[in-house]
Amino acid sequence: MALAALAFVHAPAPAGPAGEGRSAAPAIPPGDEVPIALLVDVSSGQILHQRNARRRFVPASMTKTMSAYVAFELIEQGRLDPGQVMTIRPETWRAWSGKGSTMWLPADARVTVNDLLMGLMTVSANDAAIVLAEGAAGSVENWAALMNVHARELGMTDSHFANPNGWMDEGRTFTSARDLALLAEAMIRRHPEKFRRYIGNENFTYNDVTQGNHDPLIGRVRGAEGIKTGFTNEAGFGFLGTVRRGAQRLVLVTAGVDRGDARDGWARRYVEWGFSAFERRRLFDAGEEVAQARVQGGSARRVTLVADRPVEVSVPRGRAGEMTLSVRYDGPLRAPVAAGSRVATLRIEVPGMDEARIPLFAGEPVGIAGPLDRIVNAFARWLG
């Protein structure tokens, strides 16, 4: 890793009293009630709180989030179409009709991918997950293989999927809070339109049967966008959700909770704590120069480093201190450098918090040095 291209201390403006203009911040979930908890500010890349975030657990129906993500990827690639019609196999209907949460697909169902995704993510339909897997990949096993390929691509190193819906399988399907947060962020960033369409709906009607979403935040917490609850006797109660207020979006994960009311109540208090216990500070606008990186053998000696989104940071309210910013990259960079290519990382350290890492991109192209460029660069080096 190259010597930091930027290293300085950003002195924050004085913070107002904790809770100023807001209600007092509730406590974070206690470990005896919520053994696995993670709250991430995905807009700044910061972990606001974590407990056992890398501990593997059985995700139950939160597994369906990965099935939805795989479907979104296939749609984006043109390999799956929301209007595509799938037919339920007789053996699938016999195995899954009325089994756990369901959208009550009839034995002769011809159902669109659009309806399957709605059923999957709104009413947690186990039958929809199986029909989607078999229709899109040929078998549950093939679909699970796709799930694992995409999980590896996202860096979900604590996860493995053996089925598309999270039904009990003796622990062969497992994940971690950290991995689910990665999945949620990828779904939001890569597929924002599909996320808005299929995630967070309050209810879904299929074949004249209307069912509600069990999400504990939708309609109760301002800015709640939903994602997925989960429950089996094996897994206990879990939740993966996101809440957006303005430019800030928090993703929360809870798992291993004994009671549904405890999961729901703590999910609401947890996310409100995330918004109330911290204050936001904007450091850079999207596209604003953050730093410069050295370039070797290029038509220019340096390239501007920019972020593709506003760089904001959450700082605990009422906590004095300074934040330290640094930029790291493998360098000097070698020409050519394409504009928009990811070439560096901005690291933000706030006292008492985990380091935040923001990707930085080349603000302009740098070509390979020509004869005149090499002369100018050599003269510039001689001048120091």
Side-chain angles (χ1 to χ4, degrees):
M1 187 68 66
L3 185 66
L6 169 72
F8 63 91
V9 174
H10 179 86
E20 182 176 276
R22 308 186 187 196
S23 59
I28 59 176
D32 58 343
E33 291 195 47
V34 185
I36 296 173
L38 176 64
L39 188 62
V40 181
D41 185 339
V42 295
S43 44
S44 69
Q46 292 173 286
I47 296 174
L48 304 184
H49 173 259
Q50 61 179 319
R51 177 186 299 123
N52 298 321
R54 298 296 295 266
R55 178 189 292 179
R56 294 177 175 181
F57 63 88
V58 177
S61 285
M62 290 186 286
T63 301
K64 291 162 185 160
T65 310
M66 177 54 83
S67 280
Y69 179 80
V70 172
F72 292 174
E73 288 284 298
L74 294 178
I75 291 171
E76 197 69 22
Q77 296 164 11
R79 298 167 57 190
L80 190 66
D81 189 281
Q84 182 177 339
V85 175
M86 294 182 173
T87 303
I88 189 169
R89 299 187 306 128
E91 51 268 44
T92 298
W93 182 82
R94 287 193 296 269
W96 290 99
S97 179
K99 191 171 184 178
S101 301
T102 175
M103 61 186 285
W104 300 104
L105 290 169
D108 59 349
R110 287 175 51 79
V111 58
T112 64
V113 169
N114 179 75
D115 282 347
L116 291 172
L117 286 171
M118 286 291 192
L120 184 76
M121 297 307 292
T122 305
V123 302
S124 196
N126 290 317
D127 50 357
I130 301 298
V131 173
L132 179 65
E134 293 178 340
S139 69
V140 164
E141 292 75 20
N142 289 344
W143 183 262
L146 283 176
M147 295 169 76
N148 290 315
V149 167
H150 285 287
R152 288 193 294 272
E153 290 176 349
L154 295 178
M156 298 173 63
T157 55
D158 300 316
S159 298
H160 181 266
F161 299 95
N163 68 67
N165 56 20
W167 193 258
M168 294 172 286
D169 61 5
E170 298 179 336
R172 288 180 295 137
T173 295
F174 55 84
T175 190
S176 69
R178 174 254 188 195
D179 282 6
L180 287 179
L182 288 175
L183 174 60
E185 182 175 7
M187 179 179 280
I188 292 165
R189 295 201 187 283
R190 290 179 59 83
H191 305 288
E193 293 182 2
K194 299 178 189 66
F195 183 86
R196 286 192 295 269
R197 176 171 180 79
Y198 295 110
I199 307 298
N201 296 292
E202 293 190 14
N203 55 65
F204 174 61
T205 300
Y206 174 77
N207 205 20
D208 295 326
V209 177
T210 299
Q211 299 182 71
N213 195 328
H214 292 152
D215 188 287
L217 304 187
I218 294 174
R220 300 177 179 88
V221 171
R222 179 170 61 88
E225 298 177 299
I227 294 186
K228 196 70 196 69
T229 58
F231 168 75
T232 63
N233 291 328
E234 179 185 28
F237 292 88
F239 177 58
L240 167 64
T242 177
V243 179
R244 182 177 182 179
R245 296 180 184 173
Q248 186 177 17
R249 179 183 269 124
L250 305 186
V251 168
L252 69 153
V253 185
T254 60
V257 186
D258 289 337
R259 306 187 327 275
D261 61 339
R263 173 198 63 187
D264 297 352
W266 278 115
R268 293 190 280 269
R269 292 191 288 272
Y270 197 28
V271 74
E272 291 292 358
W273 173 83
F275 283 108
S276 63
F278 299 84
E279 61 176 327
R280 301 279 288 172
R281 300 198 180 113
R282 176 165 292 198
L283 305 181
F284 302 97
D285 292 327
E288 180 182 352
E289 179 177 323
V290 175
Q292 294 185 347
R294 292 178 296 133
V295 179
Q296 185 175 41
S299 56
R301 296 182 63 203
R302 294 183 178 274
V303 63
T304 302
L305 301 178
V306 301
D308 63 348
R309 58 185 184 270
V311 177
E312 298 185 332
V313 64
S314 292
V315 181
R317 286 184 171 272
R319 180 177 296 176
E322 299 174 328
M323 67 183 79
T324 302
L325 279 64
S326 62
V327 171
R328 308 291 178 86
Y329 61 94
D330 290 325
L333 304 175
R334 294 185 179 277
V337 178
S341 58
R342 180 174 176 175
V343 294
T345 301
L346 172 64
R347 297 185 177 184
I348 305 173
E349 296 179 74
V350 176
M353 299 182 65
D354 289 342
E355 180 184 78
R357 299 186 179 187
I358 308 296
L360 295 178
F361 304 85
E364 67 279 335
V366 178
I368 297 175
L372 181 59
D373 294 317
R374 287 194 290 270
I375 294 172
V376 171
N377 290 341
F379 185 65
R381 286 194 298 271
W382 180 75
L383 291 175

